[in-house]
C-alpha cells in the first residue's frame, strides 16, 4: 500500500478476492508473485502526463498478468473469464470517465435518468436475477452478463429516451453502458 497507494492497492486486492480462497496470496505462491510484480509495475510507472493518459495502457499492462495468473488458479468454471473481463471493464470505464466532461458525467445523477431506472425496475431486477443465477444454471458469468446486459439495454432505452429528452444525458448513459459492455463486444469479435 505504501508503494502504490490505497486505491491502487484496493483494486489489486479486489481482483484477487474475486477468485476466492484458492487463489489467495496466502495459499498460492504464483498469485503472490504476480501480485508483487503488479505492485512493482504500478509503483514504477512514470506518468509523464495525466493519470488519465496512462490508465488504459499502463494499468492494463500491470494488471493483465495478475488477472491471468488468477484465472489459471481459479477452479470455478462459472467464473472463468470474469476476472479478465472485470479488469477490461474497469479500464474501459476509466477511459470513458477520463474522456468525458465532468458536467456530462454528472448526468448519471440526473433525476430523469434515475426516474427511468425506477420506472423500469422489473428490467433491472431481471438483469440482477439472470446474473445471480449463473451458479444455479451453471453458465459462465461473463456469457450471462453479456446476454443480460443486451436485454437490459433494450428494456431501458425507450424509457430513458422518453424521460430524458436532453441529448447530453442520453449520450452519457449510452457511453457508460458501452464502456461497461466493451469486453462483451471484444469477445464477440474473437468468436
Amino acid at each position: 500500500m505504501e508503494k502504490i497507494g490505497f486505491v491502487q492497492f484496493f483494486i489489486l486486492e479486489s481482483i484477487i478476492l474475486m477468485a476466492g480462497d484458492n487463489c489467495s496470496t496466502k495459499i498460492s505462491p504464483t498469485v503472490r508473485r504476480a501480485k508483487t510484480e503488479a505492485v512493482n509495475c504500478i509503483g514504477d510507472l512514470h506518468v509523464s502526463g495525466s493519470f488519465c493518459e496512462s490508465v488504459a495502457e499502463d494499468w492494463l499492462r500491470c494488471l493483465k498478468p495478475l488477472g491471468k495468473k488468477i484465472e489459471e488458479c481459479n477452479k470455478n468454471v462459472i467464473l472463468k473469464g470474469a476476472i479478465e473481463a472485470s479488469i477490461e471493464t474497469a479500464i474501459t470505464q476509466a477511459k470513458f470517465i477520463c474522456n468525458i466532461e465532468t458536467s456530462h458525467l454528472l448526468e448519471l445523477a440526473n433525476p430523469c435518468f434515475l426516474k427511468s431506472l425506477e420506472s423500469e425496475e422489473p428490467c433491472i431486477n431481471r438483469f440482477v436475477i439472470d446474473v445471480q443465477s449463473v451458479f444455479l444454471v451453471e453458465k459462465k458469468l461473463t456469457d450471462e452478463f453479456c446476454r443480460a446486459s443486451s436485454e437490459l439495454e433494450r428494456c431501458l432505452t425507450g424509457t430513458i429516451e422518453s424521460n430524458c429528452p436532453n441529448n447530453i444525458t442520453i449520450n452519457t448513459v449510452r457511453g457508460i453502458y458501452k464502456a461497461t459492455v466493451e469486453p462483451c463486444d471484444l469477445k464477440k469479435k474473437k468468436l
Side-chain angles (χ1 to χ4, degrees):
M1 193 175 339
E2 291 171 7
K3 182 168 185 170
I4 62 174
F6 175 76
V7 173
Q8 291 85 335
F9 184 79
F10 177 75
I11 292 168
L12 286 179
E13 287 297 313
S14 298
I15 291 168
I16 294 167
L17 287 173
M18 286 179 67
D21 292 339
N22 289 338
C23 297
S24 76
T25 53
K26 292 176 185 162
I27 295 173
S28 172
T30 306
V31 172
R32 187 178 5 196
R33 274 192 302 278
K35 177 184 174 186
T36 300
E37 289 170 13
V39 166
N40 290 336
C41 180
I42 292 168
D44 293 340
L45 287 178
H46 298 291
V47 180
S48 56
S50 72
F51 178 76
C52 279
E53 290 169 352
S54 73
V55 75
E57 288 141 32
D58 294 337
W59 271 73
L60 199 54
R61 178 175 47 84
C62 291
L63 294 178
K64 265 202 160 184
L66 174 63
K68 186 174 179 149
K69 292 299 179 193
I70 294 170
E71 288 283 9
E72 290 169 5
C73 165
N74 183 6
K75 302 295 183 228
N76 189 331
V77 175
I78 291 167
L79 294 177
K80 285 289 182 194
I83 289 140
E84 185 178 355
S86 296
I87 291 169
E88 289 173 4
T89 298
I91 297 295
T92 58
Q93 287 173 339
K95 285 194 309 193
F96 173 77
I97 290 167
C98 284
N99 291 323
I100 193 166
E101 291 180 33
T102 307
S103 61
H104 291 208
L105 191 58
L106 289 174
E107 289 300 318
L108 296 174
N110 189 321
C112 72
F113 174 57
L114 300 175
K115 181 181 175 187
S116 298
L117 293 179
E118 193 175 287
S119 66
E120 290 296 345
E121 192 173 343
C123 294
I124 296 164
N125 288 344
R126 181 82 241 152
F127 171 80
V128 171
I129 289 168
D130 286 350
V131 172
Q132 288 176 340
S133 73
V134 295
F135 295 102
L136 299 174
V137 295
E138 296 186 6
K139 292 181 180 177
K140 284 180 73 176
L141 178 61
T142 52
D143 294 345
E144 196 57 23
F145 172 81
C146 291
R147 186 199 63 74
S149 293
S150 179
E151 287 182 19
L152 178 65
E153 182 190 30
R154 281 193 295 274
C155 189
L156 289 176
T157 299
T159 304
I160 292 169
E161 288 177 358
S162 64
N163 283 341
C164 300
N166 185 340
N167 282 338
I168 294 170
T169 307
I170 293 168
N171 291 336
T172 302
V173 170
R174 283 186 184 142
I176 197 73
Y177 172 82
K178 187 176 181 226
T180 302
V181 298
E182 189 172 311
C184 296
D185 295 337
L186 295 172
K187 184 177 169 188
K188 284 181 196 173
K189 289 178 185 175
K190 288 179 185 175
L191 298 176

mmCIF file of all heavy atoms in Angstrom, residues 130-173:
data_model
loop_
_atom_site.group_PDB
_atom_site.id
_atom_site.type_symbol
_atom_site.label_atom_id
_atom_site.label_comp_id
_atom_site.label_asym_id
_atom_site.label_seq_id
_atom_site.Cartn_x
_atom_site.Cartn_y
_atom_site.Cartn_z
ATOM 1 N N ASP A 130 -30.829 -12.738 -13.507
ATOM 2 C CA ASP A 130 -30.121 -13.510 -14.539
ATOM 3 C C ASP A 130 -28.646 -13.667 -14.193
ATOM 4 O O ASP A 130 -28.087 -14.754 -14.327
ATOM 5 C CB ASP A 130 -30.262 -12.840 -15.907
ATOM 6 C CG ASP A 130 -31.643 -13.011 -16.508
ATOM 7 O OD1 ASP A 130 -32.441 -13.801 -15.955
ATOM 8 O OD2 ASP A 130 -31.933 -12.345 -17.514
ATOM 9 N N VAL A 131 -28.010 -12.573 -13.779
ATOM 10 C CA VAL A 131 -26.580 -12.637 -13.465
ATOM 11 C C VAL A 131 -26.341 -13.490 -12.221
ATOM 12 O O VAL A 131 -25.409 -14.293 -12.183
ATOM 13 C CB VAL A 131 -25.991 -11.217 -13.305
ATOM 14 C CG1 VAL A 131 -24.572 -11.265 -12.782
ATOM 15 C CG2 VAL A 131 -26.029 -10.482 -14.652
ATOM 16 N N GLN A 132 -27.208 -13.358 -11.226
ATOM 17 C CA GLN A 132 -27.033 -14.144 -10.000
ATOM 18 C C GLN A 132 -27.315 -15.630 -10.213
ATOM 19 O O GLN A 132 -26.821 -16.470 -9.472
ATOM 20 C CB GLN A 132 -27.939 -13.615 -8.890
ATOM 21 C CG GLN A 132 -27.501 -12.282 -8.327
ATOM 22 C CD GLN A 132 -28.474 -11.735 -7.298
ATOM 23 O OE1 GLN A 132 -29.644 -12.128 -7.245
ATOM 24 N NE2 GLN A 132 -28.000 -10.823 -6.478
ATOM 25 N N SER A 133 -28.095 -15.949 -11.238
ATOM 26 C CA SER A 133 -28.500 -17.345 -11.459
ATOM 27 C C SER A 133 -27.395 -18.208 -12.044
ATOM 28 O O SER A 133 -27.575 -19.414 -12.197
ATOM 29 C CB SER A 133 -29.719 -17.394 -12.386
ATOM 30 O OG SER A 133 -29.334 -17.095 -13.713
ATOM 31 N N VAL A 134 -26.250 -17.634 -12.385
ATOM 32 C CA VAL A 134 -25.195 -18.406 -13.041
ATOM 33 C C VAL A 134 -24.788 -19.632 -12.234
ATOM 34 O O VAL A 134 -24.437 -20.659 -12.810
ATOM 35 C CB VAL A 134 -23.947 -17.552 -13.381
ATOM 36 C CG1 VAL A 134 -24.271 -16.507 -14.401
ATOM 37 C CG2 VAL A 134 -23.321 -16.964 -12.138
ATOM 38 N N PHE A 135 -24.855 -19.543 -10.924
ATOM 39 C CA PHE A 135 -24.447 -20.677 -10.099
ATOM 40 C C PHE A 135 -25.501 -21.784 -10.113
ATOM 41 O O PHE A 135 -25.183 -22.945 -9.939
ATOM 42 C CB PHE A 135 -24.157 -20.219 -8.663
ATOM 43 C CG PHE A 135 -22.973 -19.302 -8.601
ATOM 44 C CD1 PHE A 135 -23.134 -17.932 -8.486
ATOM 45 C CD2 PHE A 135 -21.692 -19.804 -8.694
ATOM 46 C CE1 PHE A 135 -22.040 -17.082 -8.452
ATOM 47 C CE2 PHE A 135 -20.586 -18.968 -8.664
ATOM 48 C CZ PHE A 135 -20.761 -17.606 -8.541
ATOM 49 N N LEU A 136 -26.759 -21.419 -10.350
ATOM 50 C CA LEU A 136 -27.831 -22.420 -10.423
ATOM 51 C C LEU A 136 -27.869 -23.101 -11.785
ATOM 52 O O LEU A 136 -28.069 -24.311 -11.880
ATOM 53 C CB LEU A 136 -29.189 -21.771 -10.136
ATOM 54 C CG LEU A 136 -29.352 -21.116 -8.763
ATOM 55 C CD1 LEU A 136 -30.680 -20.384 -8.670
ATOM 56 C CD2 LEU A 136 -29.264 -22.178 -7.671
ATOM 57 N N VAL A 137 -27.715 -22.319 -12.832
ATOM 58 C CA VAL A 137 -27.812 -22.869 -14.190
ATOM 59 C C VAL A 137 -26.451 -23.285 -14.754
ATOM 60 O O VAL A 137 -26.367 -23.824 -15.847
ATOM 61 C CB VAL A 137 -28.501 -21.871 -15.153
ATOM 62 C CG1 VAL A 137 -29.937 -21.646 -14.743
ATOM 63 C CG2 VAL A 137 -27.753 -20.560 -15.224
ATOM 64 N N GLU A 138 -25.392 -23.014 -13.994
ATOM 65 C CA GLU A 138 -24.025 -23.374 -14.344
ATOM 66 C C GLU A 138 -23.604 -22.845 -15.714
ATOM 67 O O GLU A 138 -23.001 -23.547 -16.523
ATOM 68 C CB GLU A 138 -23.827 -24.886 -14.246
ATOM 69 C CG GLU A 138 -23.992 -25.380 -12.822
ATOM 70 C CD GLU A 138 -23.658 -26.848 -12.650
ATOM 71 O OE1 GLU A 138 -23.180 -27.485 -13.601
ATOM 72 O OE2 GLU A 138 -23.868 -27.351 -11.547
ATOM 73 N N LYS A 139 -23.930 -21.586 -15.958
ATOM 74 C CA LYS A 139 -23.447 -20.905 -17.154
ATOM 75 C C LYS A 139 -22.288 -20.012 -16.730
ATOM 76 O O LYS A 139 -22.158 -19.654 -15.571
ATOM 77 C CB LYS A 139 -24.551 -20.042 -17.769
ATOM 78 C CG LYS A 139 -25.691 -20.842 -18.345
ATOM 79 C CD LYS A 139 -26.718 -19.910 -18.963
ATOM 80 C CE LYS A 139 -27.879 -20.698 -19.543
ATOM 81 N NZ LYS A 139 -28.913 -19.804 -20.076
ATOM 82 N N LYS A 140 -21.447 -19.630 -17.696
ATOM 83 C CA LYS A 140 -20.328 -18.748 -17.375
ATOM 84 C C LYS A 140 -20.854 -17.355 -17.070
ATOM 85 O O LYS A 140 -21.725 -16.838 -17.768
ATOM 86 C CB LYS A 140 -19.345 -18.702 -18.536
ATOM 87 C CG LYS A 140 -18.481 -19.946 -18.633
ATOM 88 C CD LYS A 140 -17.517 -19.877 -19.784
ATOM 89 C CE LYS A 140 -16.415 -18.908 -19.470
ATOM 90 N NZ LYS A 140 -15.382 -18.852 -20.507
ATOM 91 N N LEU A 141 -20.313 -16.748 -16.035
ATOM 92 C CA LEU A 141 -20.732 -15.418 -15.601
ATOM 93 C C LEU A 141 -20.588 -14.394 -16.726
ATOM 94 O O LEU A 141 -21.485 -13.583 -16.951
ATOM 95 C CB LEU A 141 -19.929 -14.986 -14.373
ATOM 96 C CG LEU A 141 -20.221 -13.586 -13.832
ATOM 97 C CD1 LEU A 141 -21.672 -13.460 -13.383
ATOM 98 C CD2 LEU A 141 -19.285 -13.251 -12.681
ATOM 99 N N THR A 142 -19.473 -14.437 -17.431
ATOM 100 C CA THR A 142 -19.267 -13.442 -18.495
ATOM 101 C C THR A 142 -20.306 -13.587 -19.597
ATOM 102 O O THR A 142 -20.826 -12.601 -20.103
ATOM 103 C CB THR A 142 -17.849 -13.535 -19.092
ATOM 104 O OG1 THR A 142 -17.592 -14.887 -19.467
ATOM 105 C CG2 THR A 142 -16.808 -13.076 -18.100
ATOM 106 N N ASP A 143 -20.627 -14.831 -19.982
ATOM 107 C CA ASP A 143 -21.638 -15.055 -21.028
ATOM 108 C C ASP A 143 -22.998 -14.524 -20.590
ATOM 109 O O ASP A 143 -23.702 -13.857 -21.344
ATOM 110 C CB ASP A 143 -21.766 -16.541 -21.367
ATOM 111 C CG ASP A 143 -20.512 -17.114 -22.010
ATOM 112 O OD1 ASP A 143 -19.660 -16.314 -22.455
ATOM 113 O OD2 ASP A 143 -20.377 -18.347 -22.045
ATOM 114 N N GLU A 144 -23.365 -14.835 -19.350
ATOM 115 C CA GLU A 144 -24.679 -14.420 -18.856
ATOM 116 C C GLU A 144 -24.749 -12.913 -18.657
ATOM 117 O O GLU A 144 -25.765 -12.281 -18.945
ATOM 118 C CB GLU A 144 -25.007 -15.156 -17.551
ATOM 119 C CG GLU A 144 -26.454 -15.106 -17.156
ATOM 120 C CD GLU A 144 -27.410 -15.662 -18.203
ATOM 121 O OE1 GLU A 144 -27.016 -16.470 -19.058
ATOM 122 O OE2 GLU A 144 -28.590 -15.258 -18.163
ATOM 123 N N PHE A 145 -23.652 -12.304 -18.185
ATOM 124 C CA PHE A 145 -23.612 -10.853 -18.026
ATOM 125 C C PHE A 145 -23.814 -10.172 -19.378
ATOM 126 O O PHE A 145 -24.584 -9.221 -19.502
ATOM 127 C CB PHE A 145 -22.282 -10.409 -17.402
ATOM 128 C CG PHE A 145 -22.117 -8.919 -17.388
ATOM 129 C CD1 PHE A 145 -22.714 -8.155 -16.397
ATOM 130 C CD2 PHE A 145 -21.381 -8.275 -18.379
ATOM 131 C CE1 PHE A 145 -22.582 -6.764 -16.392
ATOM 132 C CE2 PHE A 145 -21.244 -6.896 -18.381
ATOM 133 C CZ PHE A 145 -21.846 -6.137 -17.392
ATOM 134 N N CYS A 146 -23.119 -10.654 -20.395
ATOM 135 C CA CYS A 146 -23.229 -10.037 -21.723
ATOM 136 C C CYS A 146 -24.641 -10.195 -22.285
ATOM 137 O O CYS A 146 -25.207 -9.253 -22.835
ATOM 138 C CB CYS A 146 -22.198 -10.644 -22.679
ATOM 139 S SG CYS A 146 -20.486 -10.206 -22.258
ATOM 140 N N ARG A 147 -25.210 -11.376 -22.148
ATOM 141 C CA ARG A 147 -26.569 -11.608 -22.638
ATOM 142 C C ARG A 147 -27.568 -10.728 -21.889
ATOM 143 O O ARG A 147 -28.399 -10.036 -22.487
ATOM 144 C CB ARG A 147 -26.948 -13.079 -22.480
ATOM 145 C CG ARG A 147 -28.303 -13.428 -23.107
ATOM 146 C CD ARG A 147 -28.877 -14.732 -22.563
ATOM 147 N NE ARG A 147 -29.159 -14.698 -21.140
ATOM 148 C CZ ARG A 147 -30.179 -14.042 -20.578
ATOM 149 N NH1 ARG A 147 -31.007 -13.331 -21.297
ATOM 150 N NH2 ARG A 147 -30.376 -14.076 -19.264
ATOM 151 N N ALA A 148 -27.483 -10.727 -20.559
ATOM 152 C CA ALA A 148 -28.419 -9.954 -19.739
ATOM 153 C C ALA A 148 -28.254 -8.447 -19.959
ATOM 154 O O ALA A 148 -29.232 -7.696 -19.928
ATOM 155 C CB ALA A 148 -28.247 -10.306 -18.259
ATOM 156 N N SER A 149 -27.023 -8.003 -20.204
ATOM 157 C CA SER A 149 -26.772 -6.575 -20.457
ATOM 158 C C SER A 149 -27.443 -6.119 -21.740
ATOM 159 O O SER A 149 -27.983 -5.016 -21.820
ATOM 160 C CB SER A 149 -25.271 -6.300 -20.551
ATOM 161 O OG SER A 149 -24.670 -6.509 -19.311
ATOM 162 N N SER A 150 -27.419 -6.970 -22.745
ATOM 163 C CA SER A 150 -28.052 -6.648 -24.017
ATOM 164 C C SER A 150 -29.563 -6.509 -23.833
ATOM 165 O O SER A 150 -30.190 -5.575 -24.342
ATOM 166 C CB SER A 150 -27.729 -7.750 -25.032
ATOM 167 O OG SER A 150 -28.342 -7.479 -26.252
ATOM 168 N N GLU A 151 -30.162 -7.416 -23.084
ATOM 169 C CA GLU A 151 -31.593 -7.345 -22.803
ATOM 170 C C GLU A 151 -31.929 -6.118 -21.961
ATOM 171 O O GLU A 151 -32.945 -5.461 -22.175
ATOM 172 C CB GLU A 151 -32.070 -8.612 -22.099
ATOM 173 C CG GLU A 151 -32.140 -9.800 -23.022
ATOM 174 C CD GLU A 151 -32.659 -11.044 -22.331
ATOM 175 O OE1 GLU A 151 -33.291 -10.935 -21.254
ATOM 176 O OE2 GLU A 151 -32.444 -12.146 -22.881
ATOM 177 N N LEU A 152 -31.074 -5.804 -20.992
ATOM 178 C CA LEU A 152 -31.301 -4.639 -20.139
ATOM 179 C C LEU A 152 -31.296 -3.368 -20.973
ATOM 180 O O LEU A 152 -32.154 -2.495 -20.797
ATOM 181 C CB LEU A 152 -30.236 -4.561 -19.043
ATOM 182 C CG LEU A 152 -30.328 -3.364 -18.097
ATOM 183 C CD1 LEU A 152 -31.612 -3.422 -17.273
ATOM 184 C CD2 LEU A 152 -29.111 -3.333 -17.169
ATOM 185 N N GLU A 153 -30.353 -3.249 -21.898
ATOM 186 C CA GLU A 153 -30.302 -2.057 -22.739
ATOM 187 C C GLU A 153 -31.580 -1.907 -23.554
ATOM 188 O O GLU A 153 -32.166 -0.831 -23.621
ATOM 189 C CB GLU A 153 -29.090 -2.101 -23.678
ATOM 190 C CG GLU A 153 -29.008 -0.849 -24.530
ATOM 191 C CD GLU A 153 -27.990 -0.932 -25.645
ATOM 192 O OE1 GLU A 153 -27.735 -2.028 -26.152
ATOM 193 O OE2 GLU A 153 -27.472 0.140 -26.008
ATOM 194 N N ARG A 154 -32.028 -2.999 -24.174
ATOM 195 C CA ARG A 154 -33.276 -2.940 -24.964
ATOM 196 C C ARG A 154 -34.454 -2.523 -24.096
ATOM 197 O O ARG A 154 -35.306 -1.750 -24.506
ATOM 198 C CB ARG A 154 -33.557 -4.292 -25.616
ATOM 199 C CG ARG A 154 -32.745 -4.544 -26.861
ATOM 200 C CD ARG A 154 -33.296 -5.737 -27.633
ATOM 201 N NE ARG A 154 -33.173 -6.995 -26.911
ATOM 202 C CZ ARG A 154 -32.105 -7.779 -26.930
ATOM 203 N NH1 ARG A 154 -31.054 -7.428 -27.623
ATOM 204 N NH2 ARG A 154 -32.085 -8.902 -26.260
ATOM 205 N N CYS A 155 -34.488 -3.041 -22.881
ATOM 206 C CA CYS A 155 -35.594 -2.764 -21.970
ATOM 207 C C CYS A 155 -35.602 -1.306 -21.517
ATOM 208 O O CYS A 155 -36.657 -0.685 -21.417
ATOM 209 C CB CYS A 155 -35.483 -3.708 -20.768
ATOM 210 S SG CYS A 155 -36.891 -3.709 -19.666
ATOM 211 N N LEU A 156 -34.430 -0.752 -21.256
ATOM 212 C CA LEU A 156 -34.346 0.596 -20.689
ATOM 213 C C LEU A 156 -34.309 1.728 -21.717
ATOM 214 O O LEU A 156 -34.697 2.853 -21.411
ATOM 215 C CB LEU A 156 -33.082 0.719 -19.829
ATOM 216 C CG LEU A 156 -33.055 -0.021 -18.504
ATOM 217 C CD1 LEU A 156 -31.698 0.141 -17.844
ATOM 218 C CD2 LEU A 156 -34.144 0.464 -17.580
ATOM 219 N N THR A 157 -33.835 1.445 -22.923
ATOM 220 C CA THR A 157 -33.559 2.502 -23.893
ATOM 221 C C THR A 157 -34.748 3.427 -24.129
ATOM 222 O O THR A 157 -34.620 4.650 -24.027
ATOM 223 C CB THR A 157 -33.071 1.898 -25.228
ATOM 224 O OG1 THR A 157 -31.872 1.190 -24.963
ATOM 225 C CG2 THR A 157 -32.801 2.972 -26.258
ATOM 226 N N GLY A 158 -35.892 2.876 -24.465
ATOM 227 C CA GLY A 158 -37.066 3.709 -24.761
ATOM 228 C C GLY A 158 -37.480 4.563 -23.587
ATOM 229 O O GLY A 158 -37.821 5.741 -23.750
ATOM 230 N N THR A 159 -37.471 3.988 -22.394
ATOM 231 C CA THR A 159 -37.880 4.724 -21.198
ATOM 232 C C THR A 159 -36.924 5.878 -20.918
ATOM 233 O O THR A 159 -37.360 6.992 -20.619
ATOM 234 C CB THR A 159 -37.925 3.780 -19.974
ATOM 235 O OG1 THR A 159 -38.787 2.693 -20.282
ATOM 236 C CG2 THR A 159 -38.419 4.497 -18.745
ATOM 237 N N ILE A 160 -35.629 5.624 -21.031
ATOM 238 C CA ILE A 160 -34.650 6.681 -20.782
ATOM 239 C C ILE A 160 -34.818 7.800 -21.800
ATOM 240 O O ILE A 160 -34.845 8.983 -21.454
ATOM 241 C CB ILE A 160 -33.212 6.123 -20.791
ATOM 242 C CG1 ILE A 160 -33.005 5.206 -19.587
ATOM 243 C CG2 ILE A 160 -32.182 7.249 -20.790
ATOM 244 C CD1 ILE A 160 -31.731 4.394 -19.627
ATOM 245 N N GLU A 161 -34.960 7.437 -23.062
ATOM 246 C CA GLU A 161 -35.094 8.456 -24.107
ATOM 247 C C GLU A 161 -36.376 9.269 -23.957
ATOM 248 O O GLU A 161 -36.391 10.462 -24.229
ATOM 249 C CB GLU A 161 -35.009 7.810 -25.491
ATOM 250 C CG GLU A 161 -33.597 7.367 -25.805
ATOM 251 C CD GLU A 161 -33.457 6.645 -27.140
ATOM 252 O OE1 GLU A 161 -34.478 6.442 -27.838
ATOM 253 O OE2 GLU A 161 -32.319 6.289 -27.487
ATOM 254 N N SER A 162 -37.462 8.637 -23.500
ATOM 255 C CA SER A 162 -38.702 9.404 -23.327
ATOM 256 C C SER A 162 -38.671 10.268 -22.064
ATOM 257 O O SER A 162 -39.259 11.345 -22.030
ATOM 258 C CB SER A 162 -39.926 8.476 -23.316
ATOM 259 O OG SER A 162 -39.881 7.615 -22.206
ATOM 260 N N ASN A 163 -37.976 9.816 -21.023
ATOM 261 C CA ASN A 163 -37.891 10.601 -19.786
ATOM 262 C C ASN A 163 -36.800 11.668 -19.838
ATOM 263 O O ASN A 163 -36.866 12.652 -19.113
ATOM 264 C CB ASN A 163 -37.610 9.688 -18.582
ATOM 265 C CG ASN A 163 -38.833 8.929 -18.126
ATOM 266 O OD1 ASN A 163 -39.954 9.303 -18.438
ATOM 267 N ND2 ASN A 163 -38.616 7.855 -17.393
ATOM 268 N N CYS A 164 -35.771 11.444 -20.649
ATOM 269 C CA CYS A 164 -34.628 12.356 -20.709
ATOM 270 C C CYS A 164 -34.468 12.880 -22.134
ATOM 271 O O CYS A 164 -33.706 12.306 -22.919
ATOM 272 C CB CYS A 164 -33.350 11.645 -20.287
ATOM 273 S SG CYS A 164 -33.364 10.991 -18.616
ATOM 274 N N PRO A 165 -35.159 13.953 -22.477
ATOM 275 C CA PRO A 165 -35.052 14.471 -23.841
ATOM 276 C C PRO A 165 -33.714 15.166 -24.128
ATOM 277 O O PRO A 165 -33.421 15.476 -25.270
ATOM 278 C CB PRO A 165 -36.214 15.467 -23.921
ATOM 279 C CG PRO A 165 -36.452 15.887 -22.511
ATOM 280 C CD PRO A 165 -36.086 14.707 -21.648
ATOM 281 N N ASN A 166 -32.901 15.358 -23.100
ATOM 282 C CA ASN A 166 -31.616 16.039 -23.242
ATOM 283 C C ASN A 166 -30.586 15.090 -23.857
ATOM 284 O O ASN A 166 -30.298 14.027 -23.312
ATOM 285 C CB ASN A 166 -31.160 16.518 -21.857
ATOM 286 C CG ASN A 166 -29.904 17.330 -21.904
ATOM 287 O OD1 ASN A 166 -29.144 17.282 -22.856
ATOM 288 N ND2 ASN A 166 -29.681 18.081 -20.836
ATOM 289 N N ASN A 167 -30.007 15.462 -24.997
ATOM 290 C CA ASN A 167 -29.019 14.610 -25.676
ATOM 291 C C ASN A 167 -27.791 14.328 -24.815
ATOM 292 O O ASN A 167 -27.210 13.250 -24.908
ATOM 293 C CB ASN A 167 -28.574 15.243 -27.001
ATOM 294 C CG ASN A 167 -29.604 15.042 -28.080
ATOM 295 O OD1 ASN A 167 -30.424 14.133 -28.011
ATOM 296 N ND2 ASN A 167 -29.581 15.896 -29.081
ATOM 297 N N ILE A 168 -27.391 15.290 -23.979
ATOM 298 C CA ILE A 168 -26.212 15.080 -23.123
ATOM 299 C C ILE A 168 -26.454 13.912 -22.183
ATOM 300 O O ILE A 168 -25.598 13.043 -22.012
ATOM 301 C CB ILE A 168 -25.867 16.369 -22.332
ATOM 302 C CG1 ILE A 168 -25.416 17.470 -23.285
ATOM 303 C CG2 ILE A 168 -24.800 16.103 -21.289
ATOM 304 C CD1 ILE A 168 -25.278 18.831 -22.636
ATOM 305 N N THR A 169 -27.630 13.867 -21.591
ATOM 306 C CA THR A 169 -27.955 12.774 -20.667
ATOM 307 C C THR A 169 -27.982 11.443 -21.405
ATOM 308 O O THR A 169 -27.367 10.465 -20.971
ATOM 309 C CB THR A 169 -29.320 13.024 -19.991
ATOM 310 O OG1 THR A 169 -29.317 14.321 -19.410
ATOM 311 C CG2 THR A 169 -29.603 11.986 -18.921
ATOM 312 N N ILE A 170 -28.683 11.397 -22.520
ATOM 313 C CA ILE A 170 -28.815 10.152 -23.282
ATOM 314 C C ILE A 170 -27.441 9.659 -23.747
ATOM 315 O O ILE A 170 -27.113 8.479 -23.600
ATOM 316 C CB ILE A 170 -29.774 10.342 -24.474
ATOM 317 C CG1 ILE A 170 -31.195 10.588 -23.957
ATOM 318 C CG2 ILE A 170 -29.742 9.138 -25.408
ATOM 319 C CD1 ILE A 170 -32.173 11.060 -25.014
ATOM 320 N N ASN A 171 -26.630 10.550 -24.279
ATOM 321 C CA ASN A 171 -25.308 10.156 -24.765
ATOM 322 C C ASN A 171 -24.390 9.702 -23.637
ATOM 323 O O ASN A 171 -23.573 8.790 -23.820
ATOM 324 C CB ASN A 171 -24.666 11.292 -25.562
ATOM 325 C CG ASN A 171 -25.381 11.527 -26.876
ATOM 326 O OD1 ASN A 171 -26.040 10.632 -27.417
ATOM 327 N ND2 ASN A 171 -25.286 12.738 -27.402
ATOM 328 N N THR A 172 -24.499 10.319 -22.473
ATOM 329 C CA THR A 172 -23.685 9.907 -21.330
ATOM 330 C C THR A 172 -24.087 8.519 -20.858
ATOM 331 O O THR A 172 -23.228 7.663 -20.603
ATOM 332 C CB THR A 172 -23.811 10.920 -20.172
ATOM 333 O OG1 THR A 172 -23.408 12.207 -20.647
ATOM 334 C CG2 THR A 172 -22.945 10.521 -18.989
ATOM 335 N N VAL A 173 -25.390 8.272 -20.776
ATOM 336 C CA VAL A 173 -25.875 6.948 -20.360
ATOM 337 C C VAL A 173 -25.420 5.899 -21.372
ATOM 338 O O VAL A 173 -24.938 4.825 -21.001
ATOM 339 C CB VAL A 173 -27.415 6.957 -20.195
ATOM 340 C CG1 VAL A 173 -27.945 5.552 -20.000
ATOM 341 C CG2 VAL A 173 -27.815 7.847 -19.025
#
